[in-house]
Amino acid sequence: MDFDLAYLAAQGPALMRGLWLTVQVSLLSIVLSVLVGLLGAAVRVLEVPVLDRVVAAYVEFIRNTPMLAQLFFIFYGLPGIGLKLSLFWSGVLCLTVWAGAYQIENLRGGLATVGKGLREASYALGLTPWRFFHLVAAPLAIRVALPAMLNTAISLLKNSSYLQAIGLAELTYVAIDRISMDFRTLEMFAAICVIYLALVLVLSFLASRLEFRLNAPFRH
């Protein structure tokens, strides 16, 4: 089968619609998963009673079960208890819950590098544990944990392709739909591989710029 550039160009609008949905669901999930990570890491590090054990159990459960099973549970299982979400929000919830568990551990590792002396000094100045976390510990931990957080964000972006399993018309869904109708496998899979690669490179570039800015006070 010859590689048909004309066919690929004709499918460009459909692929761009799928790409836009992929970008939307991925960016929203990345932001929400970082917030989950910050909150969960704070609970673990500050050893909040009861919640500490709940967060630890959540992390272990998510990291040791397949994401596809989690996706099916959210989309097909939750309606059984009266919680029915749209395709889009089912995808966002699944990606957020999955990545949030990894971001908790990423940030908890970053928080481990914050010296005990800083905590004692903060308490001596009258900061509460939560203000110490917000004003002192979290900024330092994010700087250290940023490479690991980027890896999780990239994995989230690539794992958004699983959402085609529930019928969300993201990039992979569009490609498979076109293949089922036109049987142009080579063009479609080549196109989405290049697009995903471009997305990952853009995300990596943005993260590298953020890391450069965060490290600015420590270069002199």
Side-chain angles (χ1 to χ4, degrees):
M1 182 182 295
D2 295 329
F3 193 89
D4 191 343
L5 287 175
Y7 171 80
L8 197 55
Q11 302 306 319
L15 289 172
M16 289 303 101
R17 287 193 295 271
L19 170 61
W20 175 234
L21 191 55
T22 292
V23 169
Q24 285 181 292
V25 73
S26 297
L27 287 181
L28 185 55
S29 300
I30 288 171
V31 172
L32 292 176
S33 67
V34 170
L35 294 178
V36 169
L38 285 169
L39 183 59
V43 168
R44 294 297 310 276
V45 170
L46 298 176
E47 298 180 346
V48 179
V50 182
L51 288 179
D52 179 31
R53 294 294 89 200
V54 172
V55 171
Y58 154 68
V59 170
E60 289 302 313
F61 177 79
I62 295 300
R63 293 177 69 182
N64 290 288
T65 55
M67 198 189 87
L68 194 58
Q70 298 164 18
L71 175 62
F72 286 157
F73 175 80
I74 289 171
F75 186 68
Y76 296 111
L78 292 185
I81 58 175
L83 183 58
K84 183 174 177 59
L85 301 175
S86 66
L87 287 170
F88 180 86
W89 288 108
S90 294
V92 169
L93 178 59
C94 178
L95 292 173
T96 299
V97 168
W98 177 84
Y102 288 89
Q103 296 292 21
I104 287 173
E105 292 302 290
N106 293 337
L107 287 162
R108 192 162 72 97
L111 288 168
T113 66
V114 178
K116 184 179 179 181
L118 283 175
R119 179 182 297 194
E120 294 173 347
S122 299
Y123 292 167
L125 292 173
L127 295 182
T128 64
W130 283 102
R131 286 184 67 81
F132 158 73
F133 178 82
H134 170 64
L135 297 175
V136 180
L140 293 174
I142 290 173
R143 184 179 67 87
V144 173
L146 192 59
M149 294 173 68
L150 171 62
N151 287 338
T152 299
I154 289 173
S155 294
L156 183 154
L157 173 61
K158 292 186 293 185
N159 286 344
S160 67
S161 61
Y162 283 119
L163 303 185
Q164 59 89 20
I166 60 173
L168 184 67
E170 44 74 58
L171 184 60
T172 303
Y173 179 93
V174 171
I176 292 177
D177 180 63
R178 293 291 90 193
I179 290 170
S180 68
M181 297 179 64
D182 304 325
F183 305 103
R184 305 297 301 190
T185 306
L186 182 61
E187 289 86 352
M188 285 294 100
F189 281 131
I192 64 172
C193 283
V194 170
I195 292 172
Y196 276 118
L197 177 61
L199 289 174
V200 169
L201 291 176
V202 169
L203 184 58
S204 298
F205 172 77
L206 293 175
S208 68
R209 298 307 302 168
L210 177 60
E211 186 176 15
F212 181 82
R213 292 290 298 274
L214 291 176
N215 284 329
F218 301 91
R219 286 196 293 270
H220 303 290

